[in-house]
Structures are given as structure tokens and as C-alpha cells.
Amino acid sequence: VLVYLAHIGSYLPCDCAKISVVDQIIVNFGDVETCSVPQSTFQRDLTAMAGIMRKSTPNTLVLIDEFGKGTAPTSGIAVMTSAMQRLAQSKCKVVCTTHFLEMFSLGLLESSKDGIKAVRMSIHVPETDIDDAVPLFKLEDGVASSSAGLICARMAGLNTEVVDRASDIIKALKDGKQVRPLPESMNANSPFQPNIRSAIRLFLAVDSWSNATDEDLDLLQELVDRM
């Protein structure tokens, strides 16, 4: 909005500003879901990105919001990374918001290199579950450490058990461990005794026992001994 106001000679709500001349402003923001267009959300994003790449010049301002959603995370990250590299090569001015932090954590992109710079919005993350996260509305250099998704879920009123379960799943994925099923997921009316049900749950939770960890083997042996 400020760039547009500057180009039409309007007042800017700031003490000073350095704004270069742009020949066009192209925006790729997520639109409202609709059945009237025979395209998925991801397909519409791709179509919009293709248009940006065809039309943009070194003097173009491009605004992109959450590109790459609506498909598998791996595919979204891959297309997003490739698109950012291509736009950086074209020298156009791009402002892009994304939650794909893996682009930087996996080394696919490097901040302050090849025309790409990572910045983040500062946020106060509470140390306990009593307080809520507080946005500080301050732009800082660097890649965000996380999206604080679980904190946002709790602030939105999501059930505590759901948030806790999500936390357990995230921890298991980070540690490279199997995600254990919930104890109550086993039918309470099952004819099996509790120890047998525990052994069955463990056995089904491991994808391949030929590659099972010592921890899983010891736990299974312990459950079998209790039968």
C-alpha cells in the first residue's frame, strides 16, 4: 500500500522512506475457497506463480503469501524453494510470507545469499501454559525457530488433550521414533487382558520388527513376560 501511495504522490504515514520506482505490483494471496473454479487451491497457486514469473521484471514488486499449501509438505517446500530461487535470479523485488521453515533449516536456501534475506516477526513465547503468546510487531533478521502452532491451537480453544497429543506426536517425529497409539484407542470391550492389549498395540505400532530398536524389543519382551 505504501509503495502504491508513493507512486501516486500521496502522503505516507512515516518520517522518511526509501522507495524505488516499480513498474507493477503483482500479488499472490490465498483467495476464498470456491467450487465455481475447477481448480484446487494448489493449482490456483501454481497458475498465479506461473503468471508472476512470466510478467515480473527487475522493477516489479511481488507479494506472495503462504505459497505451496494444498499439497504434500515435501512438494510444497520443493516448489516454493525453486520459485524463490527463480525470482531471485530475475532480480524482482519479492516479499514472501511462509511457514516452510525447512527451506532454511535443510539448507535449501541461505539467508543473505543470492539476493535472499530471511526476516521474522518477533513474538513473546510463554514459558508456561498459563500465559498466551504475545506478538511484539517487530521485524527482526533471521529465520523463525518455529511457527508456535501448538500455542496458537491452545489460544484458539482447542481441547487440551488434543494439544497434548499433538505435542507428543511432534516430539516423536523429531526424535525419529514411532508414534504410539492412544491407550484408549483399543476397544474397551476387547476380550483380551490389559497386558495382552498393550503387547498388541506395541506390535502394531512398529513398522518393521526386523529393524526395531532395542527399546521396542525390550518393551515387547517385558509385556510378553507379564502375560
Side-chain angles (χ1 to χ4, degrees):
V1 174
L2 293 177
V3 173
Y4 179 79
L5 291 175
H7 278 67
I8 63 175
S10 176
Y11 165 78
L12 297 184
C14 58
D15 294 331
C16 63
K18 292 183 179 180
I19 299 176
S20 61
V21 176
V22 300
D23 55 9
Q24 55 184 331
I25 301 176
I26 306 179
V27 178
N28 180 17
F29 283 178
D31 52 5
V32 178
E33 296 291 337
T34 176
C35 295
S36 63
V37 180
Q39 288 183 324
S40 65
T41 302
F42 185 53
Q43 185 64 41
R44 292 200 299 272
D45 275 352
L46 292 174
T47 302
M49 182 61 73
I52 290 174
M53 291 185 177
R54 286 195 304 269
K55 300 174 183 178
S56 60
T57 71
N59 293 324
T60 299
L61 174 61
V62 179
L63 307 178
I64 301 173
D65 178 52
E66 297 292 349
F67 173 75
K69 298 184 299 182
T71 186
T74 303
S75 299
I77 293 171
V79 178
M80 178 70 169
T81 301
S82 180
M84 290 300 99
Q85 291 173 334
R86 176 65 181 84
L87 291 173
Q89 292 174 357
S90 68
K91 305 297 184 181
C92 62
K93 304 167 183 64
V94 181
V95 178
C96 174
T97 59
T98 182
H99 283 85
F100 288 148
L101 308 180
E102 294 85 353
M103 292 191 300
F104 294 95
S105 63
L106 296 177
L108 304 177
L109 296 177
E110 292 187 40
S111 181
S112 302
K113 185 178 180 181
D114 299 327
I116 296 175
K117 183 177 181 179
V119 294
R120 65 189 178 215
M121 291 300 295
S122 179
I123 180 174
H124 170 70
V125 179
E127 298 180 357
T128 65
D129 294 338
I130 300 177
D131 300 322
D132 292 334
V134 179
L136 302 179
F137 302 101
K138 181 181 179 182
L139 197 62
E140 299 177 335
D141 291 340
V143 181
S145 58
S146 76
S147 298
L150 295 184
I151 296 177
C152 294
R154 180 169 53 78
M155 292 173 60
L158 208 61
N159 186 282
T160 302
E161 293 182 357
V162 174
V163 177
D164 292 342
R165 174 60 173 169
S167 178
D168 293 339
I169 293 175
I170 290 176
K171 187 177 186 304
L173 294 175
K174 287 182 177 180
D175 296 340
K177 297 181 179 179
Q178 296 290 332
V179 178
R180 305 295 185 188
L182 289 171
E184 55 269 27
S185 63
M186 180 62 74
N187 187 355
N189 297 322
S190 172
F192 298 111
Q193 296 297 321
N195 289 337
I196 297 178
R197 293 203 302 268
S198 298
I200 293 175
R201 287 199 300 268
L202 174 61
F203 183 81
L204 295 177
V206 176
D207 292 333
S208 174
W209 280 98
S210 60
N211 298 322
T213 63
D214 292 339
E215 179 184 356
D216 289 329
L217 292 172
D218 293 341
L219 181 55
L220 181 62
Q221 185 62 53
E222 180 181 348
L223 292 174
V224 170
D225 292 340
R226 294 179 184 177
M227 293 180 185

